[in-house]
């Protein structure tokens, strides 16, 4: 069974810093890897989806990378802002039907 | 584009009572998911529908949980009877094949 781990569990950075969130998964036979953002009391918002054949995806200040062979993905956030404060979750899909296995998330606080 | 709609937003019940949650996915999304998110954990898939057929219900506690998707659109998730450990946020999501999931805001269930 796929297991997804996220380190660190919580992270505080001053505004303007660049930061990296880490995600590891045990079964490298994934279909895609997705990153989500969750604000308190809300559902999840999709940030980036990396297909298994891709190495990275970018959206604005966000860049996600995927290394299937090592079972790792990273989410890079450039020039962090207080509005980036949220919990970030990664999830691995075992098939194209998107049966996702989630990590427990990294709670990010960006200090003004 | 209207998002995934869920109701109610909050529900408080006593153990052994029953409860039902409703979800309306994004129009045209054939795949619908119900996730359970316990405080401090990542979401766990309960059941996945493709149109009105079940794709994956391996983690659904079938002795007390049931779900249906009428006419391949709306879905309901029922718990009967509820236990204390069912206290969680129940998230509904929908997607196209191999595309990002779109989540609703969830229903927060408290079982006392």
């Amino acid at each position: 069974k796929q297991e997804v781990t996220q380190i660190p569990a919580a992270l505080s950075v001053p505004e303007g810093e660049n930061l990296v969130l880490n995600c590891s998964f045990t079964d490298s036979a994934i279909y895609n890897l997705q990153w989500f953002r969750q604000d308190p009391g809300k559902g999840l918002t999709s940030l980036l989806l990396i297909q298994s054949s891709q190495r990275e995806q970018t959206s604005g200040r966000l860049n996600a990378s995927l290394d299937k062979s090592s079972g790792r993905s990273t989410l890079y956030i450039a020039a962090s802002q207080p509005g980036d404060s949220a919990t970030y979750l990664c999830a691995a899909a075992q098939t194209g039907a998107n049966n996702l296995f989630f990590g427990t998330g990294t709670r990010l606080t960006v200090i003004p | 584009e209207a998002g995934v709609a869920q109701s109610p937003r909050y529900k408080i019940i006593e153990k052994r009572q029953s409860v039902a949650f409703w979800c309306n996915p994004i129009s045209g999304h054939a795949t619908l998911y119900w996730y359970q998110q316990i405080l401090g954990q990542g979401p766990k898939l309960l059941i996945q529908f493709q149109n009105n057929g079940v794709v994956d219900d391996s983690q659904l506690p079938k002795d007390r949980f049931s779900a249906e998707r009428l006419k391949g659109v709306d879905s309901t998730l029922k718990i009967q009877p509820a236990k204390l450990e069912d206290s969680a946020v129940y998230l509904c999501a929908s997607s196209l094949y191999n595309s990002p999931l779109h989540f609703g805001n969830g229903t927060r269930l408290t079982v006392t």
Side-chain angles (χ1 to χ4, degrees), chain A residues 53-75:
Chain A
S53 59
Q54 297 175 322
R55 298 282 291 183
E56 64 178 335
Q57 280 286 333
T58 299
S59 176
R61 294 182 294 108
L62 306 180
N63 175 276
S65 68
L66 174 64
D67 185 343
K68 280 180 54 179
S69 61
S70 66
R72 293 182 181 180
S73 176
T74 61
L75 179 66

Side-chain angles (χ1 to χ4, degrees), chain B residues 15-91:
Chain B
K15 60 183 178 183
R16 291 188 289 274
Q17 287 187 325
S18 63
V19 64
F21 312 127
W22 173 82
C23 173
N24 180 242
I26 292 174
S27 178
H29 282 192
T31 311
L32 184 148
Y33 317 76
W34 283 102
Y35 283 87
Q36 179 192 58
Q37 186 175 24
I38 294 172
L39 186 65
Q41 300 182 17
K44 182 185 81 171
L45 179 68
L46 292 176
I47 189 167
Q48 179 178 345
F49 292 95
Q50 181 74 18
N51 296 309
N52 59 354
V54 176
V55 173
D56 185 350
D57 64 356
S58 58
Q59 298 189 88
L60 186 73
K62 299 180 185 63
D63 58 333
R64 299 185 299 106
F65 286 64
S66 65
E68 61 180 2
R69 189 178 185 193
L70 301 175
K71 300 179 181 178
V73 182
D74 292 7
S75 177
T76 56
L77 176 69
K78 298 179 181 178
I79 307 175
Q80 182 179 14
K83 294 184 175 181
L84 295 176
E85 58 261 36
D86 297 332
S87 294
V89 176
Y90 291 84
L91 295 163

Side-chain angles (χ1 to χ4, degrees), chain A residues 31-47:
Chain A
Y31 205 84
N32 64 55
L33 191 291
Q34 301 183 34
W35 282 92
F36 294 86
R37 167 186 174 136
Q38 187 171 32
D39 293 285
K42 303 282 186 164
L44 282 68
T45 300
S46 177
L47 297 174

